[in-house]
Amino acid sequence: MQKITCPKCAKQFIWTDDNPPGGKCPTTNCDWYYDVRKEIGKSLEKRAGESSRAAFSCPGCGAALASRWSRCKSCGAWIMASRPWKKSHLIFIAVLVLVILAFFYRYLS
Ligand SMILES: [Zn+2]
Ligand SMILES: [Zn+2]
């Protein structure tokens, strides 16, 4: 099954395995001929482009990352939402959380 978009009438139609590998656009007044192998090639290219765009890279050193939330293997920076976090930032956040917890503990007891 392959979704084909006609460049002439801009209509989309579904090609199934029962259809011939090449043929006329199903739109009545349209004389465009499709070649399903070309269309499959086009959609594969499109998919490859999308997956390369989805890959993340370390903003610090440019190394490829497995996900948006991970630690860079080459420079050791923590990447959170594609932003590098220095260790000092993490310590600052940890201290902040402790201060807030201490405040609540005091307030509640
Ligand atoms: Zn057409
Ligand atoms: Zn890095």
Side-chain angles (χ1 to χ4, degrees), residues 56-57 59 65 67-70 78-85:
F56 302 106
S57 60
L65 297 171
S67 76
R68 211 176 246 260
W69 300 83
S70 63
W78 283 96
I79 317 301
M80 289 176 194
S82 70
R83 235 175 97 188
W85 288 67

Side-chain angles (χ1 to χ4, degrees), residues 6 9 25 27 30 32:
C6 172
C9 64
C25 170
T27 309
C30 181
W32 181 68

Side-chain angles (χ1 to χ4, degrees), residues 29-73:
N29 298 319
C30 181
D31 58 358
W32 181 68
Y33 280 84
Y34 67 85
D35 181 346
V36 79
R37 280 159 299 176
K38 262 192 220 165
E39 297 303 317
I40 289 169
K42 259 193 243 166
S43 68
L44 284 178
E45 266 170 45
K46 215 171 150 196
R47 237 172 277 162
E50 272 162 25
S51 65
S52 70
R53 224 183 305 141
F56 302 106
S57 60
C58 173
C61 66
L65 297 171
S67 76
R68 211 176 246 260
W69 300 83
S70 63
R71 192 173 189 206
C72 177
K73 277 181 202 127

